[in-house]
Amino acid sequence: MDNTRTPSRRRFALLACFATLACAVALLAGCNSSTPSAGSAGSADTGSAAEDTSASATGTLIVGFDQSYPPYGFVGDDGEFTGFDLDLAAAVADKLGWDVQYEAIDWDAKDTLLNSGAINCIWNGFTMEGREDDYTFSEPYMLNEQVVVVRADSGITSLEDLAGKTVITQVDSAALDVLEGDQADLAATFASLEQIGEYNTAFMQLESGAVDAVACDLSIAAYQLAANPDAYLQLDEALSSEHYAVGFKQGDTETADAVTEALRELNADGTVQELCDKYAEYGLTYDNWVLE
């Protein structure tokens, strides 16, 4: 049999190819039409909906905290997590019928962990001033200040005496925010402003003479002075005054409101006073409680 195609046969084959191609183009256009097929929109919405990891939705309060932040969150002598804020979180969870889970975190990673759902609140002596646009907060519950601690024998007695000195603070801390913001002129007089991962090491460096001063929360200063009353001196003038609150992911107002109301009830029934007394030896006082 002769398989050689004649010119007419070739033309016919070519026309058939063009027809097939045109049908394919039309089919693709139909698939990519802006009018969605039935059920396609629902599928897209389901896939894109973000999972609600809030305590109100899950029934579990996952507390992100710095385990080196006494008296609010730290490792006790028995090797277990303890602290005023951790006990307070447990009391709130119990009152609201939630479970509570503690997650010791790298403080610098707190935002990533909160936004990913690995934790659903930051509760650890967390200053709200200057962070209002980044989190949804409970109402403030504790008064705080940013202060400076020096060695008792340093001869430093005022903020002005810090000129030419090395000052250290925790990375991403409220003290750092103040020294880079409202107190930037003061910080400009320092020989250097150092940052470190946690305050326990900062005070070890102060004790050794590696740095001249530590800028920190009032609660941290009170804890260190209670533990070493003859070693340190807190300067009288504070860098700033502020408040502690519980930080939640932006928009999680349901959980924030529930926690605030539970804190009010715990204050009314005397639980807050009991916890303040429990940690009084660490320098914590009920006098600084502000939520009525």
Side-chain angles (χ1 to χ4, degrees), residues 53 68 120 122 141 144 159 182 194 213 230 241 291:
T53 58
S68 301
N120 54 28
I122 301 169
Y141 61 90
N144 184 47
L159 295 179
D182 293 344
E194 307 292 335
D230 298 325
S241 294
L291 183 60

Side-chain angles (χ1 to χ4, degrees), residues 69 125-132 140-147 173-178 182 216-219 238-245 288 290:
Y69 205 78
F126 193 39
T127 299
M128 66 180 295
E129 280 85 357
R131 293 174 169 140
E132 293 90 343
Y141 61 90
M142 188 71 82
L143 177 67
N144 184 47
E145 291 180 325
Q146 296 306 317
V147 299
S173 64
L176 180 64
D177 289 344
V178 170
D182 293 344
C216 61
D217 290 57
L218 175 63
S219 57
L239 295 171
S240 68
S241 294
E242 59 214 18
H243 298 86
Y244 286 156
N288 289 335
V290 297

Side-chain angles (χ1 to χ4, degrees), residues 13-265:
L14 216 59
L15 288 171
C17 287
F18 285 144
T20 301
L21 183 61
C23 288
V25 170
L27 183 61
L28 286 172
C31 291
N32 290 321
S33 169
S34 59
T35 303
S37 59
S40 64
S43 299
D45 288 343
T46 301
S48 62
E51 181 183 1
D52 188 349
T53 58
S54 68
S56 294
T58 64
T60 300
L61 187 67
I62 308 175
V63 179
F65 73 102
D66 179 351
Q67 65 177 344
S68 301
Y69 205 78
Y72 288 89
F74 60 104
V75 179
D77 294 337
D78 59 358
E80 299 295 322
F81 294 139
T82 188
F84 177 78
D85 274 351
L86 300 191
D87 286 359
L88 199 55
V92 164
D94 183 63
K95 183 166 284 292
L96 294 171
W98 298 340
D99 294 325
V100 65
Q101 178 180 329
Y102 302 132
E103 292 293 337
I105 63 173
D106 178 351
W107 195 244
D108 213 17
K110 61 186 180 298
D111 293 343
T112 299
L113 295 170
L114 184 64
N115 290 325
S116 71
I119 59 175
N120 54 28
C121 75
I122 301 169
W123 198 335
N124 190 205
F126 193 39
T127 299
M128 66 180 295
E129 280 85 357
R131 293 174 169 140
E132 293 90 343
D133 294 336
D134 300 324
Y135 308 90
T136 291
F137 280 101
S138 70
E139 289 190 28
Y141 61 90
M142 188 71 82
L143 177 67
N144 184 47
E145 291 180 325
Q146 296 306 317
V147 299
V148 176
V149 177
V150 298
R151 290 188 308 280
D153 61 357
S154 68
I156 299 171
T157 60
S158 68
L159 295 179
E160 289 75 17
D161 292 340
L162 295 173
K165 305 298 185 182
T166 299
V167 180
I168 195 168
T169 191
Q170 188 181 44
V171 62
D172 199 29
S173 64
L176 180 64
D177 289 344
V178 170
L179 289 170
E180 290 181 339
D182 293 344
Q183 294 282 8
D185 289 345
L186 172 66
T189 70
F190 301 164
S192 64
L193 176 59
E194 307 292 335
Q195 298 180 44
I196 200 163
E198 46 91 13
Y199 277 120
N200 283 341
T201 306
F203 275 90
M204 289 173 62
Q205 292 198 15
L206 178 62
E207 185 176 1
S208 70
V211 300
D212 300 299
V214 177
C216 61
D217 290 57
L218 175 63
S219 57
I220 296 296
Y223 169 76
Q224 292 292 341
L225 266 67
N228 304 282
D230 298 325
Y232 303 126
L233 170 72
Q234 178 186 316
L235 301 186
D236 291 337
E237 186 180 355
L239 295 171
S240 68
S241 294
E242 59 214 18
H243 298 86
Y244 286 156
V246 188
F248 301 91
K249 191 174 180 179
Q250 278 187 316
D252 189 9
T253 54
E254 184 177 354
T255 306
D257 290 347
V259 167
T260 295
E261 185 55 34
L263 287 172
R264 281 199 175 96
E265 293 176 9

